[in-house]
Structures are given as structure tokens and as C-alpha cells.
Amino acid sequence: MLDRPQKMYRQTLRKPDGRPIALYSRYPIPKGIAAVSPSNEPVKANPHFRWHPLRGEWVAYASHRQERTFMPPPEYNPLAATINPRFPTELPRGNYDIAVFDNRFPSMSFQANNAPINIVETVPANGVCEVVVFTQDPLASLGSLELSHLELLLEVWADRTSVISSNPEIQYVLPFENRGVEVGVTLHHPHGQIYAYPFVPPVPARMLECQSVYYQKNSSGLLQDLIQKEISDKQRILYLDEYAIAFVPACARYPYEVWIAPIAPVATFIDLTEKQRQGLAKALKTVALKYDGLWHRPFPYLMAWFQAPTDGKPHPEAHLHAEFYPPYRSRDRLKYLAGTELAAGMFVNDALPEEKAQELQAVSVNLY
């Protein structure tokens, strides 16, 4: 295992097409790295939002995304480091661990303007869409990365939250990872994304509303108290230390759903202590290894990290945490969202959380 780094190193560059790229590392990044891009032409995306009057929410329209890269062969991996300068990718060659850059095919952009006139309210889709390349190794996964690398990733999410939220128009920053073709992944290189919205999206808005009502009534956090109940119940815990926990929630909507959280509530990634980051890295690696070890194959999922809005207001009700939504309900059967889930918004789980927790608990993992 590598010695634990003392700090996070960052180097910000500008791509030939004008997009910024930030390189992050556990160790000093050599000077002289030159940013690259698959094209030197500036990104000219112009997405827009249309208001859905029956649901009371915005819908983004980004027709240019039809042209985004789809399932390229390994030798044309746009997220790999550039080997041949004549065929540049998104990443430069060099010694660094993680790279973050603006998506070439964004669903939101602050360059968006002149939204089309429509019968419903329509505005430019101003926001941020970043790609987070977890590692230069195309065959890696969150479960295969060293703990110090995962700690760095948590720091990167904190840094991006800080950088992005410095724009007062941004109200919410959502890091997530889609893994596996079953959830629509078109590039297999280990990576995630960060979407930053000019409003709080419907799902975290509803979570925050429930958390706020509970906090006002109980003077304690909703997730904070739920975690303590899970610890006392002991049935569904996958990882637990003094600072972090991973568990299948008693209210899981997906059969293999897992939540990760610091035990003591913090509002955002920025508020994490070093000990909490270390605990969350262990919890994250544990969950990733257990998923892949369950059926001895890469396990698909959507991982989303929920934090407080970036509106400059205190949010004592908020509790940073990740939720994993795996699409499988058994080894060879997918859970499709159908009538009651999509039309009514009410999930039906075909398995008890306690049963699925036992399956995952039975998978032995080695964090080191």
C-alpha cells in the first residue's frame, strides 16, 4: 500500500477547444503537461429547459447529445490518456490520478442562450456538466482503487463543489456514477459526472423538505437518527466504523440498494473531516467490492451523492450521503421500472432488504 499523501495536488489547464481541465493527484504533478482535446473546435451546445406544468418541474432538451461517443472500441477510448498526438483524447499523458473537465456534450451549459419560443415556459439550460475520470487505468473500478485514491476522489468532489458553487446561479451540485450498459453507460472507462443545476432538482428537493420538517420537529437530523436505528438493529449493515457506515436501508426501493454516509452529519463534501473521508473511502470500497464479488462479475449501478444546496444558507437538516441503485433483482433478472414506479411514483420491491443485505454481508472483501 502506498504511503498516505499529506495533501491534494491540483493543476488546471485549458484544452485546445477552450474547455478547462483540472488534474488531481495524491503527489506533486509534473510541470509541462499539455492539455488535449478530440477536437479543436469550441463546444457550441445550446440546451434549454422547458417547464412541465403538470409535474411542476423543468425538463432539459439537448438534441446535440445524439452525436456523443457511443461504445467505442478500446483503442479509441476518449477517456484514456493520449498516446498518439495525431489522435488526441480528452486526457493528456502525465502522472496524475483523477481528471475533471467540461462535458463535450452537455445537458446544461452557461453558454446556452436564445431558448426557442414555446407554449410552455422555456429558458436556456444554464448549468454545469463535468466528467470525472476516476483513474487513467481503463480496466479499474472503484473497488480496485487504493483507499488513498478514493480519499482523493472525495476531496475532488469537495473541490469541484466549491469551485462550481462559486457561481451564484448554481443551487445544487450532484456527483454521480453510472456503471454498466444496464444503466445506459456508453463509455466503459471508470468515470462519473457532476451535474450542477440553477435550481434544486425534484428528488433532492423532496429529500430536503422531509429532512427540514423532521429537524424542526426533533432538533436532530432525519438520516442521522435513521443511521442510529440501523446501527441498533444490526441486520442490514455492510460496513461500520467510528466515522462512516454502509447499509441496505430498511426502506430500500431497489433489491440491492445501499446507502453510504458519515455517521455524524455534514452538509456537503466540503465539510468532511479527514477521519470522515477515510471512513467513507473504506465504506465505498467495501460496497464496490461486495457488489462485484456477489456474482463474480462487474456489478452495474447508479451511485448518486446527495448534499445540501449551494445557496449560501445554513442547512442543518442536510446529511451528505450516497445512494446506490442497482438494476438487478437477481443474478440474471433486471428490475424494470414499470407502471407503478413510473406512472405512480410508488416502488414495489420484490425482495426484503434484510434478505439482500445477508447476501451482500456474506461476500468477503479485502480493503488492502
Side-chain angles (χ1 to χ4, degrees):
M1 183 174 61
L2 292 176
D3 293 335
R4 185 171 303 283
Q6 298 301 307
K7 62 183 293 187
M8 176 183 73
Y9 294 88
R10 181 181 72 182
Q11 188 175 125
T12 302
L13 307 171
R14 183 70 60 176
K15 287 174 167 287
D17 61 11
R19 291 177 295 146
I21 180 171
L23 308 179
Y24 294 87
S25 181
R26 293 165 287 176
Y27 305 96
I29 301 173
K31 294 182 180 180
I33 296 178
V36 293
S37 178
S39 171
N40 291 345
E41 293 296 320
V43 175
K44 297 180 180 179
N46 192 26
H48 66 274
F49 294 131
R50 298 185 188 184
W51 183 250
H52 193 306
L54 293 183
R55 297 179 65 95
E57 62 191 38
W58 292 105
V59 180
Y61 294 83
S63 57
H64 61 278
R65 284 177 55 79
Q66 292 283 5
E67 305 301 320
R68 68 187 186 273
T69 308
F70 183 83
M71 296 293 188
E75 60 269 26
Y76 294 108
N77 176 7
L79 300 185
T82 296
I83 298 176
N84 186 343
R86 295 176 56 193
F87 302 99
T89 65
E90 292 283 14
L91 265 58
R93 298 183 67 178
N95 294 324
Y96 58 89
D97 293 315
I98 295 172
V100 181
F101 55 87
D102 287 355
N103 199 321
R104 284 183 67 210
F105 307 95
S107 301
M108 296 175 288
S109 170
F110 275 108
Q111 295 180 357
N113 58 80
N114 300 323
I117 298 175
N118 202 281
I119 65 170
V120 294
E121 184 180 359
T122 306
V123 298
N126 294 143
V128 175
C129 294
E130 293 186 337
V131 177
V132 183
V133 181
F134 297 153
T135 171
Q136 293 190 47
D137 182 357
L139 302 180
S141 66
L142 290 183
S144 70
L145 297 179
E146 294 179 325
L147 288 171
S148 60
H149 196 132
L150 293 176
E151 290 174 38
L152 174 67
L153 178 58
L154 291 160
E155 288 194 80
V156 169
W157 283 329
D159 188 65
R160 300 318 302 168
T161 298
S162 177
V163 170
I164 294 169
S165 63
S166 65
N167 186 326
E169 293 187 51
I170 292 298
Q171 296 292 299
Y172 198 83
V173 179
L174 178 75
F176 62 91
E177 179 196 7
N178 297 321
R179 188 190 190 211
V181 294
E182 294 89 344
V183 295
V185 170
T186 58
L187 294 173
H188 289 301
H189 193 111
H191 72 287
Q193 299 182 66
I194 297 175
Y195 273 28
Y197 308 84
F199 50 82
V200 181
V203 171
R206 177 59 175 158
M207 288 184 182
L208 288 161
E209 179 185 1
C210 293
Q211 289 172 306
S212 181
V213 169
Y214 185 94
Y215 189 86
Q216 292 173 16
K217 181 179 179 181
N218 299 279
S219 299
S220 60
L222 176 54
L223 183 54
Q224 178 184 12
D225 288 352
L226 178 62
I227 286 172
Q228 291 304 317
K229 291 179 181 179
E230 290 284 0
I231 292 174
S232 297
D233 192 55
K234 300 179 181 179
Q235 291 191 74
R236 292 167 294 275
I237 295 175
L238 304 182
Y239 177 86
L240 178 65
D241 66 18
E242 184 180 352
Y243 302 99
I245 186 172
F247 60 99
V248 177
C251 54
R253 298 180 304 162
Y254 292 83
Y256 292 100
E257 183 173 336
V258 173
W259 294 5
I260 295 175
I263 292 175
V266 300
T268 72
F269 285 105
I270 300 170
D271 305 305
L272 288 171
T273 67
E274 181 181 3
K275 292 293 187 181
Q276 286 175 316
R277 280 196 302 271
Q278 292 171 4
L280 287 174
K282 293 176 183 176
L284 181 55
K285 188 176 178 75
T286 296
V287 172
L289 288 173
K290 282 182 175 290
Y291 274 160
D292 286 351
L294 183 63
W295 299 318
H296 304 289
R297 70 189 194 211
F299 195 88
Y301 57 73
L302 162 62
M303 173 186 67
W305 284 88
F306 297 99
Q307 51 185 338
T310 58
D311 54 9
K313 300 176 182 179
H315 287 278
E317 78 282 2
H319 193 141
L320 172 71
H321 71 287
E323 297 188 10
F324 286 78
Y325 310 136
Y328 278 98
R329 56 190 176 94
S330 64
R331 180 185 293 269
D332 54 4
R333 294 182 180 179
L334 290 167
K335 175 180 174 56
Y336 291 102
L337 302 188
T340 186
E341 288 91 359
L342 291 179
M346 196 205 83
F347 275 63
V348 176
N349 195 334
D350 298 334
L352 292 176
E354 295 74 30
E355 296 172 349
K356 296 305 180 182
Q358 289 176 3
E359 291 182 39
L360 291 170
Q361 287 166 346
V363 179
S364 61
V365 300
N366 182 1
L367 296 183
Y368 303 98

